[in-house]
Amino acid sequence: MKWHVRFVTLCVAVVFLGAVGTAASGAQQPYKGTALRVVLANHPWADAIRPLIPEFEQATGIKVNAESYFEDQLTQKLTVEFASGTSTIDVFMQRPLQEAKQFHKNGWYTDLKKLIDDPRLTQADWDFADFFPAAVQAETVKGFVTGIPIVTEQEIIYYRKDLFEKDNIKVPTTLAELEAAAKHFHNPGKGMFGIVSRGQRSPAVTQFSSYLYSFGGAFDKDGKATLDTPEAIKAFTFYGDLLRKYGPPGVLNMSWPQALAIFAQGKAAMYTDASVFYSNLLDPAQSEVGDKVGFAVFPAGPAGARPYSIVSWGLSMSATSRHKEAAWEFIKWATSKETTLKTQNRQVPSARTSAWESEEGIKNFPAQLVSVIAQSGKIGLPYDRPNVIAVGQARDIIGSVIVTAIEGGDVAAAAKKANADYQALLDKEK
C-alpha cells in the first residue's frame, strides 16, 4: 500500500506544480496568443527594431505582424484606413510635426497619457520623464499624448573631410562660408558638385527651415503668415541660388533618398539634411565615402545658427485597436530604456536622456557627431515645418517658393503669393 500512497502523492504534486507553472506563465504572459498589426515607416528606426521583435514575442507570447511603407505611402494608408473606421491597425509610426494635430482632430489616436498614468499598466522604471521635454511637447496636443517619441534629429552639415583637409578649407560656421566652400568644390566637369540638399517642392521645406530661421525668418508669427518678409525672401533666395549654382542637375526632383545618394556616391562635397541619416552615410554597403564623412553644426546666418532640433517620429496606438493593453505592452517595450539603448546602438538617435548620458548609448556614434547633436540640441528650434493641421498643404505652398528660387525665378513675387495662400490657410484653421 505504501508505494500506492507515494505514487498518488507524487501525481498530486506533479499536477499541483504544473498548475502553478501554468498560472505563473499566464501571469507573465497575460496577452499570449494576441496578434498585433504594427505599421512602420521605411526608416532606420524600423530597421533597428525589426530584428529585436522576436525577443518581445518570446517574452510576451504576443505575435507582431509588422508592415513597412515609404513615408508618403504610410500617411496615405493610415488616412484611408482610419477614415474608414474599420482599420485593424494596432500600433503605427507617425510624424508628430506632420500628423499629430490632424490625427488628433480626427480622433484616430488612443490617448497614451491614460496608460502612462496607470500604475497597473506602466511600471515606474519605464520612466516617461526620461524623454526629452521638447519631444514630449511635440507629441502632446491639448494634454493628449498622441505618441511616444522614438527618433530625434537635427539639421547638420555632412562634409567630405578628405576634400576639406586636402584643400585646407575651413569647415563652414556661417552661411557665407558654406556658399564659399560650395563654390570652391563645385566642379561638374569632374563629377563633383559643391553641395546637395533637398530641392523637391514639399520635402525641401523641412531642410529649408534652418536656413529660414538662421536668416531671422519664420513661417508665421502670432497667426500671421511671414513668408514675404525681407528675412524670408533672403533665405529663399540664398537656398535657391546655392542649389542652382552649386548643386547637382535634377535637384528639383530630389527628396532625401536622392540627395543622400549623391553624397554617398562621392559626388558632392557637402550635404545639409537630418542627422538621422548619418548611419546610411557611414555604412560601406550604402556609401562610397563612409570613412571620409565629417559632421558640423548648421552654420550661422544673420540671426545666428538656428537649426531645427525636433522629434521626427513617434510610436502611437490607433483608437480602433481591439488589443489596447497588448499594444501598450509593445509600445512600452519598443520605447523602454533597454530597447532604446539597442536601437541607438544601431545608430538611431533617440529621445531618451538616459541613452545619451550612457557610454553604452553613444559608443557607436562618432564623437564628432555626438558633439554636433549636443550643440544643435541646445540652439535648435522644435519645428522644421509649419505647426498647422494642414501641414501638407502648407508645405506645398512654401515649397512653391523654394522651387521658384532654385529655378532662378521672381522670388519676391512667389513669396507674396505664397504668403497670401498661407494666410488663407491659417485663417481657415482659426
Side-chain angles (χ1 to χ4, degrees):
M1 290 298 289
K2 288 184 178 179
W3 74 270
H4 281 103
V5 173
R6 285 198 298 269
F7 178 75
V8 171
T9 302
L10 178 62
C11 288
V12 170
V14 168
V15 170
F16 174 75
L17 290 173
V20 170
T22 302
S25 177
Q28 292 166 358
Q29 297 186 321
Y31 312 110
K32 183 177 182 179
T34 304
L36 295 177
R37 185 180 174 206
V38 177
V39 180
L40 307 172
N42 286 334
H43 186 277
W45 184 85
D47 294 340
I49 203 73
R50 273 183 175 275
L52 304 177
I53 288 177
E55 296 177 11
F56 171 78
E57 292 178 319
Q58 185 175 6
T60 63
I62 297 171
K63 174 65 178 174
V64 176
N65 297 311
E67 309 165 19
S68 293
Y69 301 90
F70 286 108
E71 293 177 13
D72 290 343
Q73 291 175 317
L74 174 63
T75 300
Q76 185 177 13
K77 185 164 193 63
L78 294 173
T79 301
V80 169
E81 288 209 26
F82 291 156
S84 74
T86 58
S87 173
T88 57
I89 295 172
D90 294 295
V91 176
F92 59 100
M93 283 178 69
Q94 49 82 34
R95 294 170 290 180
L97 300 182
Q98 185 77 11
E99 288 138 2
K101 281 194 169 183
Q102 181 67 59
F103 283 20
H104 173 261
K105 181 183 178 183
N106 293 343
W108 293 344
Y109 289 119
T110 289
D111 185 0
L112 300 184
K113 188 172 190 309
K114 296 176 181 175
L115 304 173
I116 294 167
D117 291 343
D118 186 340
R120 183 179 62 86
L121 298 175
T122 306
Q123 294 70 37
D125 60 359
W126 182 73
D127 196 3
F128 190 47
D130 187 44
F131 290 92
F132 297 159
V136 173
Q137 180 184 350
E139 286 281 15
T140 304
V141 179
K142 299 179 180 177
F144 186 112
V145 177
T146 63
I148 304 301
I150 52 176
V151 183
T152 60
E153 58 188 46
Q154 302 78 26
E155 184 162 9
I156 65 172
I157 305 175
Y158 297 97
Y159 68 94
R160 286 280 301 276
K161 290 187 295 186
D162 56 326
L163 301 181
F164 275 74
E165 290 171 2
K166 177 175 175 291
D167 290 0
N168 195 27
I169 297 296
K170 179 176 176 285
V171 178
T173 57
T174 68
L175 287 174
E177 291 174 354
L178 183 79
E179 183 176 20
K183 182 178 181 180
H184 173 86
F185 290 114
H186 192 62
N187 191 346
K190 293 187 176 181
M192 176 58 68
F193 305 99
I195 190 168
V196 65
S197 192
R198 303 183 199 182
Q200 195 174 11
R201 181 170 174 158
S202 178
V205 171
T206 52
Q207 307 317 304
F208 166 72
S209 68
S210 297
Y211 291 84
L212 177 65
Y213 303 151
S214 297
F215 267 94
F219 295 120
D220 56 79
K221 186 175 182 181
D222 299 329
K224 298 294 183 185
T226 54
L227 301 179
D228 62 349
T229 63
E231 294 83 3
I233 290 174
K234 287 178 183 176
F236 282 122
T237 302
F238 180 89
Y239 192 72
D241 287 351
L242 192 68
L243 292 183
R244 185 178 65 258
K245 292 179 180 177
Y246 312 119
V251 72
L252 284 169
N253 296 317
M254 292 185 183
S255 183
W256 71 263
Q258 297 80 21
L260 184 147
I262 291 289
F263 187 81
Q265 292 165 7
K267 296 180 180 177
M270 295 181 291
Y271 171 38
T272 55
D273 210 306
S275 54
V276 71
F277 297 125
Y278 88 95
S279 59
N280 304 67
L281 294 172
L282 297 186
D283 182 357
Q286 302 181 58
S287 174
E288 298 176 20
V289 296
D291 60 341
K292 303 179 180 66
V293 180
F295 313 96
V297 174
F298 190 84
R306 306 192 73 195
Y308 67 72
S309 178
I310 51 104
V311 54
S312 51
W313 288 93
L315 201 59
S316 298
M317 186 191 305
S318 71
T320 56
S321 172
R322 287 171 291 183
H323 312 291
K324 286 187 168 59
E325 293 194 359
W328 179 234
E329 284 299 307
F330 178 79
I331 293 174
K332 280 193 303 178
W333 167 81
T335 61
S336 66
K337 290 180 179 178
E338 294 76 14
T339 306
T340 297
L341 272 181
K342 292 178 181 178
T343 55
Q344 188 152 301
N345 278 338
R346 291 284 302 269
Q347 301 173 326
V348 181
S350 79
R352 273 198 177 273
T353 301
S354 58
W356 289 105
E357 292 178 345
S358 161
E359 289 295 326
E360 178 74 11
I362 63 173
K363 71 177 184 181
N364 289 334
F365 284 78
Q368 186 186 30
L369 181 62
V370 172
S371 173
V372 168
I373 289 175
Q375 292 181 57
S376 301
K378 292 178 183 176
I379 62 176
L381 300 181
Y383 296 99
D384 64 354
R385 66 202 73 187
N387 186 23
V388 295
I389 293 175
V391 182
Q393 188 179 346
R395 289 178 66 163
D396 273 345
I397 292 170
I398 297 162
S400 68
V401 191
I402 296 173
V403 169
T404 298
I406 295 173
E407 290 175 334
D410 188 338
V411 174
K416 184 176 181 180
K417 180 181 184 309
N419 200 66
D421 293 343
Y422 185 45
Q423 186 61 58
L425 185 151
L426 292 174
D427 292 342
K428 190 176 178 181
E429 292 193 2
K430 287 181 180 176

